[in-house]
Amino acid sequence: ENRGPLFHAVLQVLQQAAKQQTTVLVIEDLHWADGSSIDILRFVVSGLTDERLLVVATFRTDEPLGERPLPHALAELVRLPMVVRVDLEPFGEREVSDQLTGITGRPPAPNVARRILARSGGNPFMVEELAGQATETQLPATLRDVMAARVSTLSPATRAVVEAAAAIGREADG
């Protein structure tokens, strides 16, 4: 299959948009991208020169990539002079408290921020989802769906281990 014409057409559309005004292309969750999506991203980024185009791509570094094409693409892309990689650390208690204040309009009690930090691991999406949770015993539906989707991609043997670990809880004696 010859994808060259499609790739060139996408690059031209982005270049035309950037000639008219500064343009931002945001690509979320690149860790889930297939090979064709990664290929077109590499083509577009390597084809840019002095356009007023900012490409922002997000991906999770804690996501198991397996044989996905992202690690190889990242190795190529970060060598380009216009590519800047910014690694973000998980939120700490202060950032979780600030996020909760932004969501609810008032500062949370310190124990609430600590509890949500412990459950979320500092992940801003999880902080947001846990912010409105009334109890600690059940995950919000959105988080259950995300977890179920991730577990469903695992092999049956790995899934059994994950389910057993989930039943044990956060800590187990060695």
Side-chain angles (χ1 to χ4, degrees), residues 64-108:
L65 295 175
E67 295 300 316
R68 292 199 179 118
L70 181 59
H72 302 292
L74 287 175
E76 291 176 28
L77 289 171
V78 296
R79 288 189 218 132
L80 298 173
M82 77 290 272
V83 172
V84 176
R85 178 176 170 159
V86 178
D87 291 313
L88 302 176
E89 296 295 320
F91 281 180
E93 188 173 339
R94 169 75 185 208
E95 292 91 357
V96 168
S97 182
D98 289 348
Q99 184 180 4
L100 293 171
T101 300
I103 291 169
T104 64
R106 55 182 164 47

Short mmCIF file of all heavy atoms in Angstrom, two decimals, residues 64-108:
data_model
loop_
_atom_site.label_atom_id
_atom_site.label_comp_id
_atom_site.label_asym_id
_atom_site.label_seq_id
_atom_site.Cartn_x
_atom_site.Cartn_y
_atom_site.Cartn_z
N PRO A 64 2.21 -0.26 29.70
CA PRO A 64 3.01 -1.31 29.04
C PRO A 64 2.86 -1.20 27.53
O PRO A 64 1.76 -1.22 26.99
CB PRO A 64 2.40 -2.61 29.57
CG PRO A 64 1.06 -2.26 30.09
CD PRO A 64 1.09 -0.80 30.45
N LEU A 65 3.99 -1.05 26.84
CA LEU A 65 3.94 -0.83 25.39
C LEU A 65 4.10 -2.11 24.59
O LEU A 65 3.71 -2.15 23.44
CB LEU A 65 5.02 0.18 24.99
CG LEU A 65 4.83 1.58 25.56
CD1 LEU A 65 6.01 2.46 25.21
CD2 LEU A 65 3.53 2.20 25.08
N GLY A 66 4.69 -3.13 25.18
CA GLY A 66 4.85 -4.39 24.47
C GLY A 66 5.53 -4.17 23.13
O GLY A 66 6.59 -3.57 23.05
N GLU A 67 4.90 -4.63 22.08
CA GLU A 67 5.47 -4.51 20.74
C GLU A 67 4.94 -3.29 19.98
O GLU A 67 5.07 -3.21 18.78
CB GLU A 67 5.17 -5.79 19.94
CG GLU A 67 5.84 -7.03 20.50
CD GLU A 67 7.37 -6.90 20.50
OE1 GLU A 67 7.94 -6.44 19.50
OE2 GLU A 67 7.97 -7.24 21.53
N ARG A 68 4.33 -2.37 20.69
CA ARG A 68 3.79 -1.18 20.03
C ARG A 68 4.93 -0.36 19.43
O ARG A 68 6.06 -0.38 19.91
CB ARG A 68 2.97 -0.36 21.01
CG ARG A 68 1.70 -1.07 21.42
CD ARG A 68 0.71 -0.08 21.99
NE ARG A 68 -0.51 -0.77 22.35
CZ ARG A 68 -0.99 -0.84 23.58
NH1 ARG A 68 -0.38 -0.23 24.56
NH2 ARG A 68 -2.10 -1.48 23.83
N PRO A 69 4.61 0.44 18.40
CA PRO A 69 5.66 1.18 17.68
C PRO A 69 6.14 2.46 18.37
O PRO A 69 7.12 3.05 17.94
CB PRO A 69 4.98 1.52 16.36
CG PRO A 69 3.52 1.57 16.67
CD PRO A 69 3.31 0.53 17.75
N LEU A 70 5.50 2.90 19.43
CA LEU A 70 5.84 4.19 20.04
C LEU A 70 7.30 4.29 20.49
O LEU A 70 7.95 5.31 20.20
CB LEU A 70 4.89 4.51 21.19
CG LEU A 70 5.14 5.84 21.89
CD1 LEU A 70 5.03 7.01 20.92
CD2 LEU A 70 4.18 6.01 23.05
N PRO A 71 7.87 3.32 21.20
CA PRO A 71 9.25 3.51 21.67
C PRO A 71 10.25 3.77 20.53
O PRO A 71 11.13 4.62 20.67
CB PRO A 71 9.58 2.19 22.38
CG PRO A 71 8.25 1.65 22.78
CD PRO A 71 7.30 2.07 21.69
N HIS A 72 10.08 3.07 19.42
CA HIS A 72 11.00 3.27 18.29
C HIS A 72 10.80 4.66 17.68
O HIS A 72 11.77 5.34 17.33
CB HIS A 72 10.78 2.19 17.23
CG HIS A 72 10.98 0.80 17.76
ND1 HIS A 72 12.20 0.32 18.17
CD2 HIS A 72 10.09 -0.19 18.00
CE1 HIS A 72 12.07 -0.91 18.61
NE2 HIS A 72 10.80 -1.25 18.53
N ALA A 73 9.56 5.09 17.58
CA ALA A 73 9.27 6.41 17.03
C ALA A 73 9.83 7.51 17.93
O ALA A 73 10.39 8.49 17.44
CB ALA A 73 7.77 6.59 16.83
N LEU A 74 9.67 7.35 19.24
CA LEU A 74 10.20 8.35 20.16
C LEU A 74 11.71 8.48 20.03
O LEU A 74 12.25 9.59 20.05
CB LEU A 74 9.85 7.99 21.60
CG LEU A 74 8.40 8.18 22.01
CD1 LEU A 74 8.18 7.66 23.42
CD2 LEU A 74 7.99 9.63 21.90
N ALA A 75 12.38 7.35 19.88
CA ALA A 75 13.83 7.38 19.72
C ALA A 75 14.23 8.18 18.49
O ALA A 75 15.22 8.93 18.51
CB ALA A 75 14.38 5.96 19.63
N GLU A 76 13.45 8.07 17.42
CA GLU A 76 13.73 8.84 16.20
C GLU A 76 13.35 10.31 16.37
O GLU A 76 14.10 11.20 15.99
CB GLU A 76 12.93 8.26 15.02
CG GLU A 76 13.38 6.92 14.56
CD GLU A 76 12.48 6.37 13.45
OE1 GLU A 76 11.90 7.18 12.71
OE2 GLU A 76 12.36 5.14 13.35
N LEU A 77 12.18 10.55 16.92
CA LEU A 77 11.67 11.92 17.00
C LEU A 77 12.51 12.81 17.91
O LEU A 77 12.74 13.98 17.59
CB LEU A 77 10.21 11.92 17.47
CG LEU A 77 9.20 11.39 16.45
CD1 LEU A 77 7.84 11.22 17.09
CD2 LEU A 77 9.12 12.33 15.25
N VAL A 78 12.97 12.29 19.04
CA VAL A 78 13.72 13.15 19.97
C VAL A 78 15.07 13.57 19.40
O VAL A 78 15.68 14.51 19.91
CB VAL A 78 13.90 12.51 21.36
CG1 VAL A 78 12.56 12.32 22.05
CG2 VAL A 78 14.68 11.22 21.29
N ARG A 79 15.51 12.94 18.35
CA ARG A 79 16.76 13.35 17.69
C ARG A 79 16.57 14.58 16.81
O ARG A 79 17.54 15.24 16.46
CB ARG A 79 17.32 12.21 16.84
CG ARG A 79 17.89 11.11 17.67
CD ARG A 79 18.63 10.10 16.82
NE ARG A 79 18.37 8.79 17.36
CZ ARG A 79 17.99 7.73 16.67
NH1 ARG A 79 17.86 7.81 15.38
NH2 ARG A 79 17.76 6.59 17.26
N LEU A 80 15.32 14.88 16.45
CA LEU A 80 15.06 16.04 15.60
C LEU A 80 15.24 17.32 16.42
O LEU A 80 14.83 17.38 17.58
CB LEU A 80 13.64 15.97 15.02
CG LEU A 80 13.35 14.76 14.12
CD1 LEU A 80 11.87 14.71 13.76
CD2 LEU A 80 14.21 14.83 12.86
N PRO A 81 15.85 18.35 15.82
CA PRO A 81 16.16 19.56 16.60
C PRO A 81 14.93 20.30 17.12
O PRO A 81 15.01 20.99 18.14
CB PRO A 81 16.95 20.43 15.62
CG PRO A 81 16.67 19.87 14.27
CD PRO A 81 16.31 18.43 14.44
N MET A 82 13.80 20.16 16.46
CA MET A 82 12.61 20.91 16.89
C MET A 82 11.75 20.14 17.90
O MET A 82 10.77 20.67 18.40
CB MET A 82 11.75 21.33 15.70
CG MET A 82 10.89 20.23 15.09
SD MET A 82 11.80 18.97 14.21
CE MET A 82 11.90 19.64 12.59
N VAL A 83 12.14 18.92 18.24
CA VAL A 83 11.35 18.10 19.16
C VAL A 83 11.90 18.27 20.58
O VAL A 83 13.09 18.15 20.82
CB VAL A 83 11.37 16.62 18.75
CG1 VAL A 83 10.72 15.74 19.81
CG2 VAL A 83 10.68 16.44 17.40
N VAL A 84 10.98 18.56 21.49
CA VAL A 84 11.32 18.68 22.90
C VAL A 84 10.44 17.70 23.65
O VAL A 84 9.22 17.71 23.52
CB VAL A 84 11.06 20.11 23.42
CG1 VAL A 84 11.33 20.19 24.91
CG2 VAL A 84 11.89 21.12 22.65
N ARG A 85 11.07 16.85 24.43
CA ARG A 85 10.32 15.90 25.27
C ARG A 85 10.26 16.45 26.68
O ARG A 85 11.28 16.83 27.26
CB ARG A 85 11.00 14.53 25.26
CG ARG A 85 10.28 13.53 26.14
CD ARG A 85 10.87 12.16 26.06
NE ARG A 85 10.30 11.32 27.10
CZ ARG A 85 10.30 10.00 27.05
NH1 ARG A 85 10.85 9.38 26.02
NH2 ARG A 85 9.77 9.31 28.02
N VAL A 86 9.05 16.48 27.23
CA VAL A 86 8.85 16.96 28.58
C VAL A 86 8.21 15.83 29.37
O VAL A 86 7.09 15.41 29.07
CB VAL A 86 7.93 18.21 28.61
CG1 VAL A 86 7.68 18.67 30.03
CG2 VAL A 86 8.51 19.33 27.75
N ASP A 87 8.92 15.31 30.36
CA ASP A 87 8.38 14.26 31.21
C ASP A 87 7.76 14.90 32.44
O ASP A 87 8.39 15.73 33.11
CB ASP A 87 9.48 13.29 31.63
CG ASP A 87 9.98 12.45 30.47
OD1 ASP A 87 9.14 11.92 29.73
OD2 ASP A 87 11.21 12.33 30.31
N LEU A 88 6.52 14.54 32.73
CA LEU A 88 5.82 15.09 33.88
C LEU A 88 5.76 14.04 34.99
O LEU A 88 5.46 12.88 34.74
CB LEU A 88 4.39 15.50 33.49
CG LEU A 88 4.29 16.53 32.37
CD1 LEU A 88 2.83 16.78 32.02
CD2 LEU A 88 4.98 17.82 32.76
N GLU A 89 6.03 14.48 36.19
CA GLU A 89 5.95 13.61 37.35
C GLU A 89 4.50 13.54 37.83
O GLU A 89 3.73 14.47 37.61
CB GLU A 89 6.84 14.14 38.48
CG GLU A 89 8.32 14.15 38.14
CD GLU A 89 8.88 12.76 37.93
OE1 GLU A 89 8.49 11.84 38.68
OE2 GLU A 89 9.69 12.59 37.00
N PRO A 90 4.13 12.47 38.53
CA PRO A 90 2.79 12.43 39.13
C PRO A 90 2.62 13.58 40.12
O PRO A 90 3.60 14.07 40.68
CB PRO A 90 2.75 11.08 39.85
CG PRO A 90 3.87 10.29 39.28
CD PRO A 90 4.90 11.27 38.79
N PHE A 91 1.39 13.97 40.34
CA PHE A 91 1.09 15.01 41.31
C PHE A 91 1.49 14.56 42.71
O PHE A 91 1.37 13.39 43.05
CB PHE A 91 -0.40 15.33 41.34
CG PHE A 91 -0.87 16.23 40.22
CD1 PHE A 91 -2.20 16.57 40.14
CD2 PHE A 91 -0.01 16.73 39.27
CE1 PHE A 91 -2.66 17.41 39.13
CE2 PHE A 91 -0.45 17.56 38.26
CZ PHE A 91 -1.78 17.90 38.19
N GLY A 92 1.93 15.52 43.51
CA GLY A 92 2.13 15.30 44.92
C GLY A 92 0.90 15.80 45.67
O GLY A 92 -0.09 16.23 45.06
N GLU A 93 0.98 15.82 46.99
CA GLU A 93 -0.18 16.22 47.79
C GLU A 93 -0.61 17.66 47.49
O GLU A 93 -1.79 17.96 47.40
CB GLU A 93 0.11 16.04 49.27
CG GLU A 93 -1.12 16.25 50.14
CD GLU A 93 -0.89 15.93 51.60
OE1 GLU A 93 0.06 15.18 51.91
OE2 GLU A 93 -1.67 16.43 52.42
N ARG A 94 0.35 18.54 47.29
CA ARG A 94 0.03 19.96 47.02
C ARG A 94 -0.74 20.09 45.70
O ARG A 94 -1.76 20.78 45.63
CB ARG A 94 1.33 20.77 46.98
CG ARG A 94 1.21 22.16 46.45
CD ARG A 94 0.55 23.05 47.47
NE ARG A 94 0.34 24.34 46.88
CZ ARG A 94 0.30 25.44 47.55
NH1 ARG A 94 0.43 25.41 48.85
NH2 ARG A 94 0.11 26.57 46.95
N GLU A 95 -0.27 19.43 44.66
CA GLU A 95 -0.95 19.52 43.37
C GLU A 95 -2.33 18.88 43.41
O GLU A 95 -3.27 19.39 42.81
CB GLU A 95 -0.10 18.87 42.26
CG GLU A 95 1.18 19.59 41.94
CD GLU A 95 2.37 19.11 42.74
OE1 GLU A 95 2.21 18.22 43.62
OE2 GLU A 95 3.48 19.59 42.49
N VAL A 96 -2.44 17.76 44.12
CA VAL A 96 -3.76 17.12 44.27
C VAL A 96 -4.70 18.06 44.99
O VAL A 96 -5.86 18.25 44.57
CB VAL A 96 -3.64 15.76 45.01
CG1 VAL A 96 -5.02 15.24 45.43
CG2 VAL A 96 -2.93 14.74 44.12
N SER A 97 -4.23 18.69 46.04
CA SER A 97 -5.06 19.64 46.78
C SER A 97 -5.48 20.81 45.89
O SER A 97 -6.64 21.23 45.90
CB SER A 97 -4.30 20.15 48.02
OG SER A 97 -5.11 21.03 48.75
N ASP A 98 -4.53 21.33 45.11
CA ASP A 98 -4.84 22.43 44.18
C ASP A 98 -5.88 22.00 43.14
O ASP A 98 -6.80 22.75 42.81
CB ASP A 98 -3.59 22.92 43.47
CG ASP A 98 -2.64 23.69 44.39
OD1 ASP A 98 -3.05 24.05 45.52
OD2 ASP A 98 -1.49 23.92 43.97
N GLN A 99 -5.73 20.79 42.61
CA GLN A 99 -6.68 20.30 41.61
C GLN A 99 -8.07 20.14 42.24
O GLN A 99 -9.07 20.53 41.64
CB GLN A 99 -6.22 18.99 40.99
CG GLN A 99 -7.14 18.51 39.88
CD GLN A 99 -6.70 17.21 39.24
OE1 GLN A 99 -5.72 16.58 39.66
NE2 GLN A 99 -7.42 16.79 38.22
N LEU A 100 -8.12 19.58 43.42
CA LEU A 100 -9.41 19.41 44.10
C LEU A 100 -10.05 20.76 44.40
O LEU A 100 -11.27 20.92 44.26
CB LEU A 100 -9.23 18.60 45.39
CG LEU A 100 -8.83 17.14 45.20
CD1 LEU A 100 -8.47 16.50 46.53
CD2 LEU A 100 -9.94 16.36 44.51
N THR A 101 -9.25 21.75 44.76
CA THR A 101 -9.77 23.10 44.98
C THR A 101 -10.36 23.65 43.69
O THR A 101 -11.45 24.25 43.70
CB THR A 101 -8.65 24.03 45.50
OG1 THR A 101 -8.15 23.51 46.73
CG2 THR A 101 -9.17 25.44 45.72
N GLY A 102 -9.68 23.44 42.59
CA GLY A 102 -10.19 23.90 41.29
C GLY A 102 -11.49 23.21 40.90
O GLY A 102 -12.37 23.82 40.29
N ILE A 103 -11.62 21.96 41.24
CA ILE A 103 -12.82 21.19 40.89
C ILE A 103 -14.00 21.57 41.77
O ILE A 103 -15.11 21.77 41.28
CB ILE A 103 -12.53 19.67 41.00
CG1 ILE A 103 -11.55 19.24 39.91
CG2 ILE A 103 -13.82 18.86 40.91
CD1 ILE A 103 -10.98 17.84 40.08
N THR A 104 -13.75 21.66 43.07
CA THR A 104 -14.86 21.86 44.01
C THR A 104 -15.10 23.32 44.39
O THR A 104 -16.14 23.65 44.95
CB THR A 104 -14.62 21.07 45.31
OG1 THR A 104 -13.46 21.60 45.97
CG2 THR A 104 -14.46 19.59 45.03
N GLY A 105 -14.11 24.18 44.11
CA GLY A 105 -14.25 25.58 44.47
C GLY A 105 -13.86 25.89 45.90
O GLY A 105 -13.97 27.03 46.35
N ARG A 106 -13.39 24.90 46.64
CA ARG A 106 -12.94 25.12 48.02
C ARG A 106 -11.83 24.13 48.34
O ARG A 106 -11.80 23.02 47.79
CB ARG A 106 -14.09 25.00 49.01
CG ARG A 106 -14.84 23.70 48.96
CD ARG A 106 -16.01 23.69 49.96
NE ARG A 106 -17.00 22.67 49.76
CZ ARG A 106 -16.84 21.39 49.52
NH1 ARG A 106 -15.66 20.89 49.41
NH2 ARG A 106 -17.84 20.57 49.39
N PRO A 107 -10.91 24.51 49.23
CA PRO A 107 -9.82 23.60 49.58
C PRO A 107 -10.36 22.35 50.26
O PRO A 107 -11.26 22.43 51.09
CB PRO A 107 -8.96 24.41 50.55
CG PRO A 107 -9.35 25.83 50.34
CD PRO A 107 -10.78 25.82 49.88
N PRO A 108 -9.80 21.20 49.93
CA PRO A 108 -10.24 19.96 50.59
C PRO A 108 -9.62 19.84 51.97
O PRO A 108 -8.59 20.45 52.26
CB PRO A 108 -9.70 18.87 49.66
CG PRO A 108 -8.45 19.48 49.11
CD PRO A 108 -8.76 20.94 48.93
#
